Amino acid sequence: MRQMLFLIPSVLILTWIIYSLLPHFLVWIDYLKPHNTLKAAAWKKQSPFDFVHHMSKAWQKAALSKVRRAGYDAKRALSTIILTGIILFLVGYTSAWLNGWSTSVCLLSGAACVYLLLYWLNLRIEKRKKSFDRALYKIYRFLNMQISSGIKVTDAIRGLPEAVHESYVKSILTRFSAVYELTYDLEQAAAEIHQAFGGQDTHMLIMHLRQAVKSGKAGKSLVRMEELLFSRYFSHLQAEAQRYKNQLVWIAVIGLIPIVVIILFPILSVAGDALRIIFG
């Protein structure tokens, strides 16, 4: 039974690791395709040291991107998270070792503790991405109203932080508009949003901003995107309300269990005594 308790988490952790590394495997497969013969040849000519250096750079870039999307900007935050992961691994490993478990179980225990840290990090990313998704229709509505009322596109972009109230999204948009105001380079300013959120919605927003800057007007695409995003926002609100409703129902059911037990216990006790008298 004890082995099963650690076998199931180990399988889940291994599945998660394979799923996380799948994009890197796909990149390697793409390099080996016939239409990428030059890249494949260059890849094969690399020494083991170059390969390790390349992979470490790619890992560092991916890790910094995840840390930024979780709400941390400095490289010091990545070092802190790595140090925390090492400490958690040692705590899990030592705890299993003190209980006299095997080395494989100790390693799985340490890996499970590290997974908890990564899971918490992904929850932060998901929370911030959800805040951005909910604020998107407000951003499009703000741009559409500002540009349609005769305000210049550049001025509308500088005032973009006023479109939302979520603190984290507002801070990112403030940095975006500040960079754009200093450089008037939309691509450089867009890097702030890409690093914080990423995803297709970010690409669509930057694409519409680029078109608005070039044309100097809102266009029908902004209005259409606002309508689509508001519909998505409303459907998310309905789904969230339904989820809260289900949770309240379950809380009510669980709260009624003690009351039902208190009411039924005397009745069942009397019925049991009566049956014993009749058949005894």
Side-chain angles (χ1 to χ4, degrees):
M1 182 64 182
R2 180 183 297 179
Q3 292 179 350
M4 289 297 297
L5 291 176
F6 285 94
L7 180 61
I8 295 175
S10 64
V11 172
L12 293 176
I13 292 172
L14 183 61
T15 304
W16 175 79
I17 292 174
I18 294 174
Y19 178 77
S20 301
L21 294 177
L22 188 60
H24 300 286
F25 293 143
L26 293 177
V27 171
W28 295 339
I29 293 173
D30 184 67
Y31 265 86
L32 297 177
K33 288 182 179 179
H35 64 272
N36 282 332
T37 52
L38 295 177
K39 294 181 179 179
W43 183 270
K44 292 177 181 179
K45 287 181 180 179
Q46 288 184 340
S47 64
F49 177 78
D50 293 332
F51 175 78
V52 173
H53 178 71
H54 174 79
M55 292 306 300
S56 64
K57 286 289 186 181
W59 179 88
Q60 185 180 13
K61 183 179 179 180
L64 283 174
S65 176
K66 182 176 285 290
V67 167
R68 291 191 187 100
R69 285 187 285 121
Y72 304 108
D73 292 329
K75 290 185 178 181
R76 185 182 302 175
L78 177 60
S79 302
T80 303
I81 291 174
I82 293 174
L83 180 61
T84 305
I86 294 173
I87 293 173
L88 288 175
F89 179 83
L90 293 176
V91 168
Y93 186 93
T94 305
S95 300
W97 178 74
L98 291 176
N99 282 289
W101 291 332
S102 63
T103 304
S104 60
V105 175
C106 293
L107 292 173
L108 288 174
S109 178
C113 293
V114 176
Y115 174 77
L116 291 177
L117 175 63
L118 296 177
Y119 181 74
W120 167 78
L121 200 65
N122 289 328
L123 282 181
R124 286 181 61 92
I125 295 174
E126 186 65 25
K127 181 180 178 181
R128 281 155 176 74
K129 185 66 169 60
K130 189 177 293 184
S131 299
F132 179 67
D133 291 342
R134 291 179 176 178
L136 267 175
Y137 89 91
K138 301 177 185 177
I139 295 173
Y140 278 96
R141 175 175 294 178
F142 177 85
L143 289 171
N144 183 40
M145 292 178 62
Q146 292 286 309
I147 299 173
S148 299
S149 62
I151 297 176
K152 293 181 180 180
V153 177
T154 53
D155 294 335
I157 293 176
R158 286 199 293 265
L160 203 56
E162 303 300 325
V164 298
H165 300 288
E166 293 83 356
S167 58
Y168 178 69
V169 180
K170 192 180 186 71
S171 64
I172 298 300
L173 292 180
T174 301
R175 291 166 56 180
F176 163 76
S177 60
V179 173
Y180 182 74
E181 187 173 2
L182 289 174
T183 62
Y184 282 95
D185 187 349
L186 185 60
E187 304 304 325
Q188 182 177 348
E192 299 292 335
I193 302 180
H194 281 298
Q195 291 175 0
F197 304 111
Q200 187 64 29
D201 289 332
T202 302
H203 289 287
M204 291 292 293
L205 176 61
I206 300 304
M207 183 188 71
H208 283 94
L209 287 176
R210 192 182 299 115
Q211 290 178 351
V213 169
K214 288 182 179 180
S215 63
K217 55 183 181 180
K220 296 181 179 179
S221 60
L222 284 178
V223 179
R224 187 166 182 81
M225 284 299 299
E226 178 192 339
E227 295 173 352
L228 292 174
L229 291 171
F230 180 76
S231 299
R232 188 178 73 177
Y233 170 76
F234 189 71
S235 63
H236 286 173
L237 286 182
Q238 288 180 323
E240 190 171 352
Q242 184 64 35
R243 185 170 66 251
Y244 287 142
K245 181 180 178 181
N246 295 336
Q247 290 176 357
L248 290 175
V249 170
W250 280 109
I251 291 173
V253 170
I254 294 172
L256 287 174
I257 290 176
I259 300 175
V260 173
V261 171
I262 292 173
I263 295 174
L264 292 180
F265 182 76
I267 299 174
L268 294 176
S269 179
V270 172
D273 293 338
L275 290 174
R276 280 194 297 269
I277 293 173
I278 294 172
F279 297 101

